[in-house]
Structures are given as structure tokens and as C-alpha cells.
Amino acid sequence: MRKIIVLFFFILVPVTTVFAQQADLVKAADARTPVDWVNPLMGTDSRHELSNGNVYPAIARPWGMNFWTPQTGKMGDGWAYTYASNQIKGFKQTHQPSPWMNDYGQFSIMPITGSRKFKEDERQSWFSHKAEEVTPYYYKVYLAEHNVTTEITPTERAARFRFTFPETDQAYVVIDAFDNGSYIKIIPGENKIIGYSTKNSGGVPANFKNYFVIVFDKPFTSTATFNGDNLGDQPEVTGNHTGAVIGFKTKAGEKVNAIVASSFISQEQAERNLKEVKALSFDNVKQQGKDAWNDNLSRIVPVGGTAVQNTTFYSCLYRSLLFPRMFYEYDENGNAVHYSPYNGKVLPGYMYTDTGFWDTFRSLFPLLNLIYPEVNAKMQEGLVNAYKESDWLPEWASPGLRDIMIGNNSASIVSDAYLKLGGKAGYDINTLYEAVLHGANNAGPLKAVGRVGVNEYNKLGYVPYDVVNESAARTLEYAYDDFAIYQLAKALKRPKKEIELYKKRSLNYKNIFDPQHNLMRGKMSSGKFMEPFDPIRWGEGFTEGNSWHYTWSVFHDVQGLINLMGGKEVFARQLDSVFKMPPVFNNSFNGGFIHEMREMQVANMGQYAHGNQPIQHMIYLYNHAGKPWQAQYWVRESLNRLYNPGADGYCGDEDNGQTSAWYVFSAMGFYPVTPATNQYVMGAPLFKKVTLKLHNGKQVIINAPDNSDANRYIKSAALNGKPYTKLWLSHDDLTNGAVIDLKMTDTPDTTREIKIEDLPYSLTNEK
């Protein structure tokens, strides 16, 4: 308990106080394991108008099928838990990837005392963060209204609850199966409740159900069910909104235990999933959960940081290991099976869901490919199944196809994985290549699937502004996606004509470059640029941003963009302008504010809108301009100013691990600017030493002993004992095992001559 008290003390006090005491905190916490540093409440102080993460405390196993969270919001509210709230309505099984996508497969459990209050506003209880213990694998809170302590510890598909009641003959547990169609049945002879929930926010077949089973270790002294607002004595109820209230007589301090599991397949499968906890005590499950998190978190070990930096790092790594989540179960023979969120059938094999590739292709999936390749191999296998079951690759799945965001970034997800994992991963890359080509050359059943505007793009070389909304952003992303296909086609030794087609298309970004402004700009079908043009106007040709944010989305050919702008000095000045401009915006196209605008504004870093994905790689492009010290400076500024381990710890939506993975990579000292290549562009590490323990048994050690807040610039580097001048690291060098020694200084070397071979990858420089 003392460790938790220390953790939340420094989270709740002002940051200046934290830094004044951080040396003592690090010393006192030396014995902590990686998971002990994680704060699942980081980023939970959010609301619709302003996101500091827009996350909830996910009590789960890494990539687990089911998460649990305390519920402070009303049923159906995407903001299920907000840090500023002070009442809990229940403990919800959740599959929510973000408040904007909302939830599915949800139900809640709530202990109460006194009268049988089952409506959420009547049964809710006051609580305090001072009496809340939150870890990734265990949650505990005191419910003041009912004098009950609730504890939860989960497995991948099941969980154990432990309720500590006072002395009373009016102890109850409410099981709420939620509205929009649910079923509940009480089986007193087995101390059991079964049911299902159909509540969802879309992306499900007509036969979707989340079946659940709950078994208590104490006989019921009373039972009741509710249907809507009516509480009755029927043991079994089907309706729009159903639930159950079961009662106990308890002694002071008596612990009532419950085991719970669910399934998307059947009630029988839910019972099968219950075996994950059936033979284990609460403390056994808790310890196994802690071990599972430590096994995964300990693959990256930072040394020499402050308490604030350690907590922020491991909290971000925790967020990077939640999505995409498992959507598969194990049958009676131990084989992986899944309910298809695409066609409603139960089929063999893996399935993962709840991620948007528009966000996560940038750094989350590259992080998996480097540190957790065995996990992403299963995810790729799941993508094979998704394509077979829906005829499309899911650009945003939750749990099935959803019509949100732009691009065709599944091409990057597939290509980067194969180029990093290779054929040894064992999944069907030929089917995935077929799926990638299909998505690149066809408009899908939804705007967010395949490529909307594909005919115009293939004919004109860009998506016209007068034909398709967000046209400039789509053009840039399609061009990069074509590059990813080009890279994969080469690796698979496809016909030369096919390879050259996608290489040519990957240069389509040039077609919307406006030399007058040195920025990207929407273009009409006639070939003329759209008018009028305001570079700080959000929307129009862009997605959740403006031209200053999207102009840099030429991940694969930065040298080509440099050439368009007139050379490296002009390019560097354009990069500088992003930070020098005031954080102002024109919202006339949107007709109002979107939260990303406010997040850019309050961050006070000019037009650098790190709270959203399109610009997150931009800082690293200083390397392409031959000014690595600028990248090193701004990376450190972003790490210091835009992240902290508290409830307001992010500068915008966390977005399924993407914004967290940016922090993890950047704190290690490098970043995957161009997924589907073998390069990581260098920044500078946050820590004095970082050790990467790779899946193949090799290690990467990054030494920067003189690193400090002032010493943020790299004076010289060595790779495996030899001088190293490149501004990038290769995937092969890292996965073969490497020792990288960095000499850090407080003064940048602005006179260093950088050779062309030392620059990061650009298609224009390809030999």
C-alpha cells in the first residue's frame, strides 16, 4: 500500500514540487518492478471539449479481450470514467477503444447496501482518489455511500471480484445488462447469474451478443430482476434494459467473492472462459496479472531518469500494449476461434480489433514489430481472417468495419510487418497482399474502407477537392500507402510493371504541392488549386488539421519535398515556422470548434499540434534537412512539455497507443518516420541508459551517461564500438543486437558536415 500512496502523492502535487523531490522518490522506489511505475489514471482528466488523453483506467491483461473500468459516466456515455468525477455507478466490462467510438459488449456490477436501489443514479456511491488503488492488473476502491470496498483483478477473458461488506442483512450486488436489448437469469442453486448484452455503437452483425456468467461464493438470501424501471421477482427476464439484484447477509469485514467471464460466441463458451479464474484465488490471479505486465513492460528498461520520467514512460508503454485487443477465444480443444464481427459466424483462428490504422500505423505498429513481433504476427493472421470475412481490410475496426477517418493505411500495417518480421512469422502474406491491392484500387462499402475517390486519384494523380472531402489529406496518405505497397511488392518479387506502378503513384504528393506557399493545398478537378486558401484553416482539404500540419505527410520522400520547397535551408525555415507561428486557427470551415484546435492552442508550441497524429513525426524531419540538433531540441521539448504522469498527462487523444508509442520511441532516442522501410530516424534519448530486450534474445543498449535536461544534444555516436555518423538506425542493426554509445553535450554542433549517405531514407535518393 505504501508504494501506491507514494505514487499518487507525486501525481497529485504540483509538478514543480515533484521535480524538487524527484531524487528522493527515485531512490525510495528503486525496488519497483516496471508495472509499479504505471499510472493507469494518466490522461483520464478529459472531457468532450478538451482531451488530456480521453482514456479510462483499463484494468486488463496485455491485449486482453475484456477490460474492466470503474464507471463514473452514465450508461452509454463514451466518457465512462473521468478523473474529476466523484461518484461511481458500477464496474463495467468494456471494449471501448475511445469515447468517440464508444463501447460494445458491456455490462456492469455494483455492490450496494441498504435498500435495493438498482437505477444507476440511485445506486451510485461517492468515492475519493485517496481511497482508490489503480494498477493495470488490480483495482480497489472504497464506496463511501455503501461502506463497501470493491477489488477487481482480470485475466484475458475473465475476472475475479472481491467485495468487503459491513455487517448487514441488506448487502446486495446489482448486475446491470444495460439497454438496447439484454437478458438476465438468476440460478440460485448455483449462486450464478447468466445473461447477455447487445448494447453497441455500431460495427456489429445482427446476431451480436456478449454472453456473460457470474458465480458467487456465497448463497443468495434474496433475488430480484429488473426490466426497465420495474423490479420484480421473476428469475429470468428479456427486455430493452434488464438486470438482477442479488442479496446477502454479511458480517463486518466479510469478503464476498465473484468470478465473471464473457464470450461473443455463446453462453457455453462464456462458461468455458470462466476456467481462466475458476481454480485460482483472487491473489493468484492478481499475481499472474502483475507477472504478465512485468514480462511485457520489462522488454524496455530505462535507467537514469527521474520519477516523473519513469512513470510517464511506463504509463505510455502500458497504453501501447492494450490495443488492438484480442477478439478470439479458445474452444473445448484449446484451439483459437472467434465470433466474426464482419459476418456473424463462429470461425477458427485469431482476430484482433479496436484500433484505427490512421492513428496507429505511425508508431504503435512499428513498436510492436520491433519489441513484440510475435504478437503482431498473430495480429497479421487476424487481418487475413478479417479480409476473408469482410472482403476488406479494416481501416478502423470496433469491432467490425466503422466509417471514420481517412486513408488506406492498412497497406502500411501489412507492409511494415512483413518487411520487419519476414516469412518466418508464418502468416499468409499472399492473401494480405491481395487484400492490400484490392483496398488500393477500389472504393469500399464505407468511405473509410478501401479508397474513396480512387478513380479520380488513379486518373489525375490526386483526389479532387470538388469531388471528395478531405481531398488533400487523402492524396498524401494514398501516396504514402502506394509507397508501402511498392516496398511490399519488391519484397514479394512481384512483376516489374506492378512494382513500378506503385512507385510512380507514391510520387502523387507532388501534385498538390503549392509552390506559392510552399505548402500542400487542395486542388480542383480542373487542375487549379482551391480558392480561397488559408493555411491555418482547419478542415476543407484536411482531416482534423490544416495545411501546416499535413504538408509534412510525405513520410517516404522527404528529400522530394525538400526539392519542391527549394532546398534544405528553405525546408528548415518552414519547419521552424511551425513553432514560431502563434497557435491560432481558422475554424470557419468546421463552423465551430473541435477539441484538437483547443489542444494545439493551450500547448503553446505554435502550429505544432502534437495532440493529433498528422504532425507527430515532423520534428524528426530536421534530420533530412541536415540539422539533427533541431530535432534533438524539439523532441526533448515535446517530451518535457506535452506529457506528464498525471491525470492531464497527454496533450490530446491518446488514440489506442499511438501517442504513447511516440513517447516510448522518442524517449529511447529514435522514431519510425517511414514505416515500411528498415530505418528509424534518430532524435536523442531521454534517459542515461535504455536496454531493449528483443524477442529473439538479442539486446540493444543505448548509453548516454552524460544525458541531462541541458545535455540534450548528441556530440558523437558509436555503434558497437565504431564511430557512427548516420542520422538513422537500421532495423537489422538493432535486431542483430547493438550497443549504441552517445556523448551528450549542452551545445549543438551546427557546423557538422552531413553526407548524403548519412541522411535518412527518401525515395528520391533511392539508388
Side-chain angles (χ1 to χ4, degrees), residues 463-515:
V463 180
Y465 174 76
D466 52 330
V467 173
V468 178
N469 191 27
E470 304 163 294
S471 61
R474 294 182 194 275
T475 298
L476 293 169
E477 294 196 23
Y478 292 172
Y480 163 69
D481 296 330
D482 282 332
F483 168 79
I485 297 171
Y486 159 67
Q487 291 285 85
L488 183 56
K490 286 193 299 180
L492 295 177
K493 297 180 170 52
R494 300 292 298 180
K496 183 178 180 180
K497 182 178 180 181
E498 186 172 300
I499 293 171
E500 290 300 316
L501 170 65
Y502 291 98
K503 180 179 182 181
K504 180 182 178 182
R505 286 185 185 175
S506 72
L507 299 175
N508 282 342
Y509 70 89
K510 297 181 179 181
N511 296 327
I512 62 165
F513 179 78
D514 175 12

Side-chain angles (χ1 to χ4, degrees), residues 27-269:
K27 185 177 179 181
D30 282 348
R32 286 186 181 180
T33 63
V35 75
D36 295 325
W37 288 102
V38 175
N39 176 22
L41 297 182
M42 176 179 170
T44 58
D45 185 17
S46 297
R47 57 188 185 275
H48 185 277
E49 298 82 7
L50 184 72
S51 173
N52 288 309
N54 265 340
V55 295
Y56 53 86
I59 317 305
R61 293 286 177 92
W63 304 286
M65 188 178 90
N66 300 328
F67 298 172
W68 289 89
T69 192
Q71 178 192 347
T72 64
K74 289 183 178 295
M75 179 177 60
D77 186 350
W79 283 262
Y81 177 101
T82 52
Y83 189 83
S85 298
N86 45 36
Q87 289 179 295
I88 287 176
K89 295 175 169 60
F91 301 94
K92 185 170 82 158
Q93 186 189 92
T94 177
H95 302 90
Q96 178 173 297
S98 80
W100 310 109
M101 303 303 290
N102 217 306
D103 208 350
Y104 66 91
Q106 56 206 288
F107 61 94
S108 73
I109 300 172
M110 180 67 178
I112 62 172
T113 56
S115 61
R116 292 191 297 191
K117 298 175 181 178
F118 62 92
K119 297 178 183 178
E120 61 181 13
D121 287 341
E122 296 175 356
R123 73 188 186 223
Q124 66 184 354
S125 172
W126 289 83
F127 81 106
S128 168
H129 297 299
K130 301 177 184 69
E132 185 183 42
E133 189 174 342
V134 192
T135 76
Y137 59 90
Y138 170 72
Y139 180 84
K140 179 180 180 181
V141 70
Y142 175 68
L143 301 173
E145 202 85 359
H146 303 297
N147 192 21
V148 175
T149 296
T150 296
E151 299 171 89
I152 311 169
T153 186
T155 61
E156 290 173 351
R157 297 164 193 84
R160 272 194 170 272
F161 278 71
R162 187 162 64 191
F163 307 108
T164 304
F165 283 100
E167 182 174 359
T168 179
D169 57 3
Q170 291 182 304
Y172 302 100
V173 176
V174 179
I175 296 90
D176 193 334
F178 284 19
D179 61 3
N180 293 344
S182 55
Y183 162 81
I184 204 90
K185 181 179 180 181
I186 302 174
I187 308 173
E190 300 178 47
N191 304 334
K192 180 188 291 186
I193 293 139
I194 64 172
Y196 63 73
S197 169
T198 65
K199 188 174 180 63
N200 67 84
S201 303
V204 300
N207 66 345
F208 169 81
K209 289 183 175 69
N210 185 40
Y211 301 90
F212 59 82
V213 55
I214 307 168
V215 180
F216 289 84
D217 68 347
K218 185 178 177 68
F220 308 151
T221 56
S222 67
T223 63
T225 56
F226 61 87
N227 190 350
D229 293 338
N230 301 314
L231 188 68
D233 58 5
Q234 307 95 325
E236 185 174 10
V237 180
T238 303
N240 176 61
H241 182 188
T242 68
V245 184
I246 50 101
F248 307 98
K249 183 177 181 180
T250 56
K251 299 176 182 177
E254 182 175 352
K255 291 176 170 54
V256 176
N257 291 272
I259 55 176
V260 54
S262 70
S263 169
F264 297 108
I265 294 174
S266 66
Q267 193 67 58
E268 180 186 20
Q269 183 65 41

Side-chain angles (χ1 to χ4, degrees), residues 402-440:
R402 301 292 292 273
D403 199 12
I404 187 170
M405 305 315 295
I406 67 163
N408 179 220
N409 299 305
S410 55
S412 178
I413 301 297
V414 170
S415 298
D416 193 56
Y418 185 75
L419 293 168
K420 302 283 176 61
L421 308 184
K424 62 182 181 293
Y427 58 85
D428 185 357
I429 187 58
N430 291 317
T431 294
L432 283 181
Y433 184 73
E434 172 192 310
V436 163
L437 291 190
H438 178 65

Side-chain angles (χ1 to χ4, degrees), residues 380-401:
Q380 298 297 312
E381 211 171 317
L383 284 179
V384 173
N385 292 328
Y387 173 63
K388 290 179 177 178
E389 294 161 25
S390 72
D391 296 325
W392 300 92
L393 288 175
E395 303 298 334
W396 228 121
S398 179
L401 302 178

Side-chain angles (χ1 to χ4, degrees), residues 531-551:
E531 294 283 358
F533 176 58
D534 182 354
I536 65 167
R537 191 182 191 196
W538 286 53
E540 279 188 327
F542 303 100
T543 303
E544 296 181 356
N546 61 37
S547 184
W548 279 107
H549 306 148
Y550 260 96
T551 289

